[in-house]
Amino acid sequence: MNQSDITAGQIRQGAPFLWVNPERQTDFDPDLPLNIQHIRDADNRLRRFGPLLTQLFPELSDAGGLIESQLHPVPTLQAEVYPNLSGQLLIKGDHALPVAGSIKARGGIYEVLCHSEALALQHGILHDTNDDYLKLTSEPAKVLFSQYEVAVSSTGNLGLSIGIISAALGFKATVHMSVEAKEWKKTRLRNRGVKVIEHKDDYSAAVTAGRAESDANPNSYFVDDENSQQLFTGYAVAALRLQQQLSDADIKVDAEHPLFVYLPCGVGGAPGGIAYGLRLILGQHVHCFFAEPVEAPCVLVGMQAERSAEIESVYDFGLKVATEADGLAVSKASPWVCSLMRTLLDGVFTVDDDRLFEYLYQLQQHESISIEPSAAAGFTGPDILTATEDGKAYLLANQLSDKLDNSTHLLWTTGGLFVPEEEMFKFSAKGKQLLNL
Ligand SMILES: *Cc1c(COP(=O)(O)O)cnc(C)c1O
């Protein structure tokens, strides 16, 4: 059996495992489409919108309109749950990103801002990009935006992000929700005047339906999670922000101080954009791993496909996308993102649903941080790398085994801020029970 047959067999089994990307390169491929200037431009655009965002969302006033999350040390979690881990464990707290309550605040809001800026420039509401962006809340701007629709398909969180910002700017907003979407996410959107269309099918089907409906309306703009460079670039800005936070915390990333980043992954855009930015900005000593449910490892499947056009879905492996991690419940990855990840990603690991609830509970107990199940997908990563045979073989092959004392392990928590209290209680009760506590 060759390596890809072995991997296919492991995917089929639906049990957790680590896949190490044989095509990762240490040097950043200069032919990749986005460079540092694209990411800086995106950051500058977000900063131009700061005053406007503060006006629309007063919770952003302390941050000057920047939507950003904290870098948290988690010493108690590390001591209690990862007692044998050397190096430092940190959390990048996108579970608490304001406005959208998930990692989707990065890409989703960015893309709608790009669209509104382009329309405003085209229609003379803004003269140029140095103009006063508060003009976008003026009456003429509202009249303009109300003639246009922004549409998206989602398993929940992307819909929240796009729906909330689009409605706040005065667009008509339509969200196509796949079957996984939680009821409370739909209600939250409807309360803001967003049109929610419920599909009985999975995410890929909701994308196809949403895209077709939007394409038929010349005044509708479809945020395309599978193909959007703007969305991806918005996510990548996280790397600039993290670089600053690491430097503020005196955390080095270099040959002697590797950084391991564990990112929950659905269609691939959010973790892909972040991994791309991190490899571009921090270089080869950042090691990015995606975490996917055993029942929905779509990027893992996508990375196996020899050519991106032939990417298969997880259904071809007998899997059913049966997961409580609604943010990761995707059968078919973005082929475009998979192709961008080919030389950048260190690997992908899969995780059992039960573990999500266990970690969710432990994080709450030890650090008083509440996240949704999807956001816990990366939490098995440090143990997979340092305490399994496959992980140790990877570390050895990459000359990392002797660098662990100086390493940093970053768990990227991707959602949770708006989960209703009674839902959160059920999640943590389930985790507690699974741990026999
Ligand atoms: C969407 C989402 C992800 C993954 O992002 P993709 O772009 O779909 O890969 C991870 N966690 C949560 C909570 C999400 O909502």
Side-chain angles (χ1 to χ4, degrees):
M1 263 206 292
N2 66 29
Q3 188 52 47
S4 67
D5 292 334
I6 295 173
T7 305
Q10 283 175 304
I11 293 172
R12 258 176 213 289
Q13 278 182 7
F17 79 104
L18 169 69
W19 172 77
V20 173
N21 179 12
E23 293 183 66
R24 183 198 193 253
Q25 288 170 17
T26 49
D27 291 338
F28 193 90
D29 177 357
D31 291 336
L32 284 168
L34 301 172
N35 60 36
I36 183 75
Q37 200 50 49
H38 291 106
I39 299 179
R40 292 232 164 84
D41 288 348
D43 187 42
N44 289 335
R45 176 170 288 114
L46 289 165
R47 288 172 196 273
R48 290 202 288 281
F49 273 94
L52 172 70
L53 288 174
T54 305
Q55 182 156 327
L56 296 175
F57 305 102
E59 65 267 35
L60 295 177
S61 58
D62 287 349
L66 279 202
I67 297 175
E68 194 44 75
S69 69
Q70 286 179 31
L71 187 62
H72 301 265
V74 281
T76 315
L77 181 78
Q78 181 167 359
E80 298 293 331
V81 180
Y82 301 88
N84 301 317
L85 185 70
S86 25
Q88 190 184 10
L89 186 71
L90 297 174
I91 279 184
K92 178 62 179 157
D94 277 8
H95 63 277
L97 273 181
V99 180
S102 81
I103 195 168
K104 302 300 191 311
R106 298 188 181 279
I109 290 175
Y110 177 69
E111 178 153 0
V112 175
L113 295 182
C114 289
H115 181 56
S116 68
E117 184 183 59
L119 279 176
L121 287 167
Q122 192 188 330
H123 291 267
I125 304 241
L126 291 174
H127 292 297
D128 54 43
T129 55
N130 296 314
D131 207 342
D132 177 5
Y133 276 51
L134 291 176
K135 287 181 180 173
L136 297 190
T137 59
S138 66
E139 213 37 50
K142 283 199 181 128
V143 170
L144 172 69
F145 294 152
S146 70
Q147 294 161 28
Y148 291 88
E149 179 191 60
V150 176
V152 71
S153 302
S154 175
T155 65
N157 285 338
L158 186 62
L160 275 182
S161 160
I162 302 290
I164 289 169
I165 183 68
S166 300
L169 286 166
F171 288 103
K172 285 179 210 142
T174 300
V175 174
H176 294 263
M177 286 294 198
S178 68
V179 64
E180 295 82 15
K182 303 278 184 216
E183 212 46 49
W184 68 265
K185 292 181 182 175
K186 300 178 204 168
T187 308
R188 196 172 173 96
L189 283 172
R190 288 190 176 115
N191 289 343
R192 293 185 179 232
V194 174
K195 183 169 156 194
V196 176
I197 299 175
E198 303 184 79
H199 292 264
K200 290 200 181 60
D201 222 329
D202 82 351
Y203 175 68
S204 303
V207 171
T208 306
R211 194 190 280 132
E213 188 180 299
S214 179
D215 287 353
N217 172 0
N219 278 359
S220 179
Y221 179 90
F222 187 69
V223 176
D224 195 330
D225 200 9
E226 292 177 347
N227 300 299
S228 168
Q229 183 159 321
Q230 283 177 352
L231 198 68
F232 191 83
T233 310
Y235 288 124
V237 171
L240 279 179
R241 308 268 175 86
L242 180 67
Q243 180 186 39
Q244 183 64 50
Q245 290 178 322
L246 289 170
S247 140
D248 291 347
D250 272 329
I251 294 170
K252 291 195 209 110
V253 181
D254 58 30
E256 294 307 313
H257 301 83
L259 170 67
F260 299 95
V261 184
Y262 308 100
L263 293 148
C265 177
V267 75
I274 291 171
Y276 190 105
L278 289 174
R279 285 296 315 272
L280 183 62
I281 289 164
L282 297 176
Q284 57 172 291
H285 302 297
V286 52
H287 300 276
C288 298
F289 288 87
F290 289 176
E292 302 194 287
V294 290
E295 275 285 325
C298 65
V299 167
L300 178 52
V301 167
M303 299 286 292
Q304 306 309 308
E306 259 171 25
R307 276 177 290 127
S308 51
E310 292 173 356
I311 281 183
E312 300 161 281
S313 92
V314 305
Y315 300 126
D316 300 334
F317 290 79
L319 302 173
K320 301 200 173 56
V321 196
T323 174
E324 285 293 319
D326 51 327
L328 318 181
V330 179
S331 62
K332 192 172 178 299
S334 158
W336 180 66
V337 171
C338 290
S339 73
L340 293 181
M341 289 298 107
R342 197 153 299 281
T343 60
L344 300 179
L345 194 64
D346 280 66
V348 181
F349 57 87
T350 58
V351 55
D352 261 326
D353 263 31
D354 283 355
R355 307 302 306 277
L356 306 178
F357 294 96
E358 294 172 7
Y359 285 113
L360 181 154
Y361 171 76
Q362 289 171 313
L363 183 62
Q364 215 169 44
Q365 287 303 300
H366 298 307
E367 303 287 348
S368 305
I369 293 175
S370 294
I371 61 174
E372 60 186 272
S374 299
F379 280 53
T380 58
D383 286 339
I384 288 181
L385 279 200
T386 59
T388 67
E389 287 314 310
D390 289 343
K392 288 188 215 170
Y394 155 84
L395 292 172
L396 197 60
N398 291 278
Q399 288 93 46
L400 292 163
S401 312
D402 57 344
K403 315 264 163 62
L404 293 179
D405 285 347
N406 296 325
S407 65
T408 303
H409 298 264
L410 183 61
L411 305 170
W412 209 290
T413 53
T414 47
L417 183 62
F418 297 149
V419 176
E421 224 173 294
E422 59 281 10
E423 299 258 340
M424 194 61 89
F425 182 78
K426 280 189 239 161
F427 294 153
S428 64
K430 182 165 176 181
K432 185 175 181 191
Q433 191 197 4
L434 286 163
L435 289 161
N436 289 319
L437 295 173

